[in-house]
Amino acid sequence: MNATSPPNTWDAYPDVNGRFGDFGGRYVAETLMPLVLDLDRAYAAAKADPAFHEELNGYMTHYVGRPSPLYFAERLTQHFGGAKIYFKRDELNHTGAHKINNCMGQILLAMRMGKTRIIAETGAGQHGVATATVCARFGLPCIVYMGETDVERQKPNVFRMNLLGAEVRPVTSGTGTLKDAMNEAMRDWVTNVADTYYLIGTAAGPHPYPAMVRDFQSVIGTEARAQMLEMEGRLPDAVVACIGGGSNAIGLFHPFLADEGVRLVGVEAAGHGLESGLHAASLTGGRPGVLHGNKTYLLQDPDGQIIDAHSISAGLDYPGIGPEHAFLHDAGRADYISATDEEALDAFKLCAELEGIIPALEPAHALARVGEIARDLGPDRIVLMNLCGRGDKDIFTVADALGRRI
Amino acid sequence: MTKARIDDRFAALKAEGRAAFIAYIMAGDPDLEQSFEILSGLPAAGADLIELGFPFSDPMAEGVPIQRAAQRSLAGKTTLAKTLDLVRRFRRQDAATPIVLMGYLNPVLNQGFEVFAAAAAEAGVDGLIIVDCPPEESGPLADALDAAGIALIRLAAPTTDDARLAVVARRTSGFMYYVSVAGVTGTKEADEHTVAPAVERVRKASGLPVAVGFGIRTPERAAAIARVADAAVVGSALVDEVAAALADGTPATPKVLAKAAALAQAVRTARA
């Protein structure tokens, strides 16, 4: 295998209308359409400007702490007795998750566009914390919409955002989770069109967000690919990531899309189990529809009403998925499987005990499937997983699930 | 019928020299039967056209009143099919008042555009407004509605410039809906001084009557807008009457119709 990436025909997506095959697009109210089109132009200009990349790379190195290491998880490899398991350590980034890769890119873009007020939605609070962080760093006011259910279960992150100077607005409409937070952020944006930049945290929403978030997160896969070639002299056989909206997964997958020998595996949250109906597995248990500005797979009832997702992990608790994943799913380029709350908890404990790394509950879902993927591949093969966040934020949720008081 | 019913109504009002009063209510709010009573009573209360909302779980352009109306409607298991049933029943007693369905794309997409358009035309629907389906995404929907003779009514907003207005006007029929404020429904107030030139711009670009909505809650506002636009749309203020009736434990229909009558009266006498 070559050290440089082969030509990536997958780069042709999205098309000029923001389409990944049948998915994606720009399904927003007319008031927002001119803003979305303006953002598209501004992002295209920034993307083509070497000065923008130079500035971004500087902050990525000195503020975010990139590149993140590639780590051989030796004891987990021994435990499962199959392929070598590697972690891409994006939990070591500043703020403890991959989310800041995207926030750094978008905040620089927002300032280029002359925007003076930043809004964001957050589920687990990781994107909210990352947004509040970059807003503090660049001195911009920040408002984070967060479902009131999530405010309750992610109190440490709410406090972090407050410390960083952000205003957290609890969202009581709907069911008070991530999708409602996104609705409310859209309502804010449509009300404050002149000065406000909506910093979306996942690879979903109207074009150009899915492509832009992917581009900013692709640093994960680009680094991991080069690091793997350096450490092992070859590419991995399988690449695994958890999926809520899908930003860490698309960031890891995209630089590997043209490497046909590399199997791409996304792990959705199966909650209490797919058959229970209480899950967040949009690809496995949903069907195509339109929500939050894009066409993609959604959890919905027979009348097209969106169904609430369920996951122990607030970061995966979303009834949709980024449109590029919907496309890769239908094209057969990536496989999408799932892990339950219980399986994720087991993986969470295993990772802490064997590797001395407390993972976030989100990547614990990916880890829950890595063992069997490694065993199926067998020794002398390599599986790469994105450890996209650390678990400090989850200790209360985990203690609760384990019936312990802390 | 269908599109023609909208065109006829605006032509007749133009001859009368007054603007239309368009009443928005949510199907199934507070329940299907009461929403049918309200719908049935609206023409006598003075509604010249009716916008019948169909509920969606995630109404991103709505303020709190219509969000809550949608939640009440969904709690009563209102579906798109049951919404069409309301229209079908209404048509047995009223063949002249145009009905425009208003909502979000996913329930319609879920049914399939052709299936929906045929069923809606059969039920007696005249037009459709889909908030989250801009011109760039509405080709297949427009085709299906054309085939069924239903008007696709598009929204123009304060952020829509002249170049974009041409795009928005293309394939729009019946009337154009001007969103008078940058914001969600029922929050900011429409100002006739800024609305008047915008209405003129939209009228010129589309050659269609222009209805104004999103910022009209009182008879005074409705009258002011009716002096400069071809129609004034009121939704949140009517839906609030349903919420108030529920809070009081009183029937919703008389409250909503009394409010509608006051608004209609203001629109009818605005240019007198």
Side-chain angles (χ1 to χ4, degrees):
Chain A
M1 296 195 194
N2 297 327
T4 52
S5 294
N8 195 343
T9 52
W10 298 92
D11 279 344
Y13 299 96
D15 65 16
V16 290
N17 296 313
R19 290 268 169 188
F20 301 89
D22 194 34
F23 300 102
R26 286 182 271 238
Y27 295 90
V28 294
E30 177 57 28
T31 311
L32 289 180
M33 266 312 278
L35 283 75
V36 163
L37 294 169
D38 187 41
L39 179 61
D40 193 16
R41 284 186 291 267
Y43 175 56
K47 198 177 172 181
D49 181 357
F52 178 77
H53 292 282
E54 198 182 319
E55 187 183 16
L56 176 58
N57 292 340
Y59 288 114
M60 286 299 220
T61 304
H62 300 290
Y63 190 71
V64 175
R66 302 210 71 93
S68 67
L70 184 70
Y71 166 71
F72 173 45
E74 195 174 356
R75 294 194 70 209
L76 276 169
T77 300
Q78 284 167 2
H79 176 81
F80 289 118
K84 292 174 85 169
I85 298 168
Y86 276 86
F87 287 160
K88 176 63 173 164
R89 300 286 304 276
D90 253 53
E91 99 282 11
L92 293 176
N93 293 337
H94 181 40
T95 73
H98 72 290
K99 290 292 186 188
I100 197 157
N101 302 329
N102 166 53
C103 289
M104 189 54 80
Q106 286 200 54
I107 198 87
L108 296 180
L109 179 62
M111 289 189 293
R112 251 178 98 100
M113 294 175 72
K115 301 292 182 183
T116 55
R117 176 177 178 268
I118 306 294
I119 58 170
E121 83 295 336
T122 197
Q126 290 305 97
H127 174 59
V129 167
T131 305
T133 297
V134 296
C135 286
R137 171 61 185 79
F138 294 103
L140 290 169
C142 176
I143 289 153
V144 179
Y145 290 94
M146 187 171 186
E148 65 171 356
T149 311
D150 292 334
V151 167
E152 190 49 44
R153 64 177 166 175
Q154 299 288 345
K155 279 183 186 157
N157 272 344
V158 174
F159 186 58
R160 277 189 191 102
M161 286 185 268
N162 289 334
L163 285 175
L164 291 160
E167 180 193 345
V168 178
R169 292 191 184 164
V171 176
T172 54
S173 64
T175 49
T177 57
L178 179 54
K179 83 175 173 78
D180 305 295
M182 203 151 174
N183 290 337
E184 213 54 39
M186 292 273 202
R187 290 179 187 124
D188 181 311
W189 198 22
V190 87
T191 309
N192 300 288
V193 290
D195 62 348
T196 297
Y197 183 93
Y198 180 17
L199 208 163
I200 294 185
T202 194
H207 179 67
Y209 284 103
M212 179 168 66
V213 175
R214 172 200 72 197
D215 292 348
F216 289 137
Q217 291 294 2
S218 287
V219 65
I220 302 170
T222 303
E223 284 177 8
R225 194 177 181 282
Q227 289 166 322
M228 189 62 85
L229 286 169
E230 196 180 314
M231 287 175 76
E232 288 282 350
R234 53 169 299 209
L235 293 175
D237 299 283
V239 163
V240 187
C242 64
I243 299 212
S247 71
N248 98 83
I250 204 68
L252 181 63
F253 290 179
H254 198 261
F256 288 101
L257 283 178
D259 299 314
E260 284 173 19
V262 179
R263 184 185 173 210
L264 307 175
V265 185
V267 183
E268 298 190 288
H272 291 326
L274 294 177
E275 65 297 332
S276 71
L278 297 171
H279 61 82
S282 329
L283 282 173
T284 321
R287 57 200 161 80
V290 167
L291 178 70
H292 292 151
N294 59 170
K295 186 173 184 189
T296 188
Y297 278 77
L298 301 170
L299 300 180
Q300 51 183 319
D301 76 5
D303 202 45
Q305 305 297 338
I306 307 307
I307 297 174
D308 288 318
H310 171 85
S311 172
I312 189 169
S313 145
L316 303 182
D317 210 344
Y318 182 65
I321 185 159
E324 193 163 9
H325 286 296
F327 171 63
L328 294 175
H329 172 266
D330 281 17
R333 178 62 189 93
D335 297 326
Y336 295 88
I337 56 179
S338 63
T340 64
D341 289 354
E342 207 178 319
E343 291 170 324
L345 276 168
D346 288 345
F348 179 98
K349 288 188 285 184
L350 192 67
C351 189
E353 287 162 12
L354 291 185
E355 294 293 347
I357 298 171
I358 297 176
L361 280 169
E362 290 80 11
H365 283 74
L367 187 59
R369 292 277 85 87
V370 159
E372 60 210 44
I373 292 168
R375 273 197 294 264
D376 287 351
L377 283 169
D380 305 325
R381 301 295 193 90
I382 299 169
V383 53
L384 162 66
M385 190 198 102
N386 191 21
L387 193 62
C388 61
R390 66 175 184 230
D392 309 44
K393 71 182 172 63
D394 291 318
I395 55 171
F396 298 103
T397 307
V398 171
D400 201 39
L402 298 177
R404 300 206 203 142
R405 290 190 60 174
I406 53 174
Chain B
M1 293 309 268
T2 62
K3 256 182 219 185
R5 205 153 24 208
I6 300 175
D7 295 343
D8 289 352
R9 180 55 52 106
F10 275 107
L13 293 174
K14 194 171 182 186
E16 275 183 53
R18 70 169 178 93
F21 167 55
I22 304 183
Y24 170 101
I25 60 165
M26 174 67 74
D29 179 34
D31 55 54
L32 277 169
E33 269 325 293
Q34 286 189 76
S35 70
F36 179 68
E37 275 177 28
I38 296 167
L39 183 63
S40 301
L42 279 174
D48 298 301
L49 291 89
I50 297 167
E51 279 182 20
L52 183 61
F54 55 95
F56 183 49
S57 50
D58 295 84
M60 282 165 291
E62 311 301 343
V64 171
I66 294 178
Q67 288 174 40
R68 295 210 172 127
Q71 282 175 357
R72 291 192 293 268
S73 174
L74 288 173
K77 310 252 182 259
T78 306
T79 59
L80 195 47
K82 288 179 188 170
T83 304
L84 292 182
D85 284 341
L86 291 177
V87 178
R88 199 172 288 115
R89 288 170 67 191
F90 177 84
R91 278 284 167 251
R92 287 185 206 133
Q93 64 202 39
D94 186 321
T97 307
I99 292 191
V100 173
L101 295 190
M102 182 165 182
Y104 291 77
L105 187 61
N106 201 49
V108 175
L109 178 69
N110 175 71
Q111 211 172 69
F113 294 148
E114 283 78 17
V115 173
F116 166 79
E122 182 272 324
V125 169
D126 305 290
L128 181 70
I129 302 173
I130 297 290
V131 178
D132 58 346
C133 192
E136 287 81 350
E137 305 292 353
S138 65
L141 177 63
D143 292 343
L145 295 179
D146 275 351
I150 294 177
L152 175 60
I153 293 148
R154 292 231 184 83
L155 304 145
T159 50
T160 313
D161 64 17
D162 284 340
R164 194 167 162 75
L165 256 185
V167 176
V168 173
R170 206 174 299 141
R171 303 200 74 177
T172 299
S173 58
F175 61 92
M176 285 278 291
Y177 189 126
Y178 181 68
V179 175
S180 63
V181 294
V184 294
T185 49
T187 46
K188 293 180 182 172
E189 207 167 65
D191 172 15
E192 67 272 25
H193 303 292
T194 54
V195 164
V199 165
E200 205 42 60
R201 221 158 50 85
V202 176
R203 222 184 249 143
K204 211 170 136 194
S206 65
L208 292 169
V210 179
V212 172
F214 269 54
I216 308 173
R217 295 188 59 89
T218 61
E220 294 70 31
R221 279 292 89 216
I225 295 300
R227 281 181 208 112
V228 298
D230 301 300
V233 187
V234 180
S236 299
L238 293 178
V239 161
D240 274 344
E241 294 297 316
V242 177
L246 287 173
D248 298 350
T250 56
T253 307
K255 269 195 154 66
V256 176
L257 294 180
K259 184 80 172 186
L263 290 158
Q265 181 62 22
V267 170
R268 278 163 195 258
T269 55
R271 295 190 204 162

